Amino acid sequence: MKQNLIPFERVIEEMKTAISDTLTIDKDKITPDSSLIKDLGAESLDFLDINYRLEQAFGIKMARHFIIEHIEEMFGEGTAVDSNGQLTETAVKLMKIRLSAGKEAGESFDELIPGMDMDALPAMVTVKSMSMAVMDILDSLPQKCPACGASSWKTDDGTHVICGGCSAEAPYENGDDLIKNWLEKTQKDHNIIKS
């Protein structure tokens, strides 16, 4: 269900804190549109640290794999990346559908094109796109607590959600499962990958 206990603005702030602490940079220099690699100087191992901090902050499990890896695993080698390491048209279609869910007016994904080098993708990760991934996980909060059946989720600190009935921690889906479920549903709805 779409939860309304933790607003997107709070997720952005926690994201900035995680990035600031990991990269030891001033939090005020981080904007929602900052590219973690191009603008803030993050390296691949920094993403692990940032994800860990976010998991601790919200009590969630971030995805361990990019959507490209899930497409290849679910639909076969070569579906998302060709033999030259370039994105296929299928991968670009799927990624644009995924990204358009959080699209704002005037925002486009013109740089995402078939044939682009897959190694260029990490540089497209922004503070906002990572925050949207966190929101996807937070929005997997079930209607009722599986431990006691109560429908009274609450947060006392603004980031951790617990059951108001039995104090159990919120049982979110993990990021990788959410991506896989989204790919299955999108394929069913749009039939992008022809068999």
Side-chain angles (χ1 to χ4, degrees):
M1 73 178 208
K2 187 164 179 61
Q3 59 84 32
N4 58 8
L5 297 169
I6 304 173
F8 188 62
E9 294 75 18
R10 179 62 186 263
V11 174
I12 289 278
E13 285 307 307
E14 292 296 328
M15 183 70 66
K16 287 181 179 179
T17 299
I19 293 168
S20 173
D21 291 346
T22 299
L23 303 179
T24 59
I25 59 175
D26 189 343
K27 193 174 170 182
D28 292 337
K29 293 181 177 176
I30 305 170
T31 72
D33 293 323
S34 297
S35 161
L36 272 69
I37 291 177
K38 285 192 295 189
D39 301 325
L40 305 176
E43 297 180 359
S44 57
L45 288 178
D46 293 325
F47 283 87
L48 296 175
D49 195 2
I50 292 166
N51 280 349
Y52 174 77
R53 292 175 192 273
L54 293 170
E55 290 177 348
Q56 297 302 306
F58 293 104
I60 61 176
K61 282 275 189 196
M62 295 291 288
R64 298 290 184 262
H65 303 284
F66 285 107
I67 188 172
I68 294 298
E69 296 168 287
H70 286 297
I71 295 170
E72 291 277 301
E73 178 189 333
M74 292 175 65
F75 302 108
E77 190 174 324
T79 304
V81 181
D82 68 18
S83 59
N84 297 317
Q86 298 175 327
L87 293 184
T88 64
E89 189 173 331
T90 298
V92 170
K93 280 182 186 175
L94 286 167
M95 292 179 69
K96 285 189 173 182
I97 292 171
R98 179 92 175 150
L99 292 170
S100 66
K103 184 177 177 181
E104 294 178 357
E107 190 175 14
S108 69
F109 306 105
D110 292 341
E111 58 195 294
L112 190 58
I113 56 173
M116 72 178 285
D117 194 316
M118 70 171 286
D119 290 337
L121 281 178
M124 296 175 70
V125 175
T126 64
V127 172
K128 187 167 67 177
S129 66
M130 280 193 74
S131 298
M132 287 168 43
V134 172
M135 284 303 289
D136 282 347
I137 296 170
L138 295 175
D139 285 345
S140 73
L141 183 69
Q143 184 73 33
K144 295 182 178 181
C145 173
C148 73
S151 300
S152 56
W153 299 110
K154 66 176 187 174
T155 178
D156 293 330
D157 63 2
T159 56
H160 287 89
V161 174
I162 60 171
C163 174
C166 67
S167 299
E169 291 184 12
Y172 302 111
E173 291 188 48
N174 74 56
D176 286 308
D177 287 346
L178 281 174
I179 293 172
K180 290 178 186 176
N181 292 339
W182 179 86
L183 282 169
E184 285 178 0
K185 182 178 184 321
T186 302
Q187 172 60 11
K188 185 177 177 184
D189 293 347
H190 298 277
N191 194 28
I192 290 173
I193 302 163
K194 311 293 182 193
S195 54

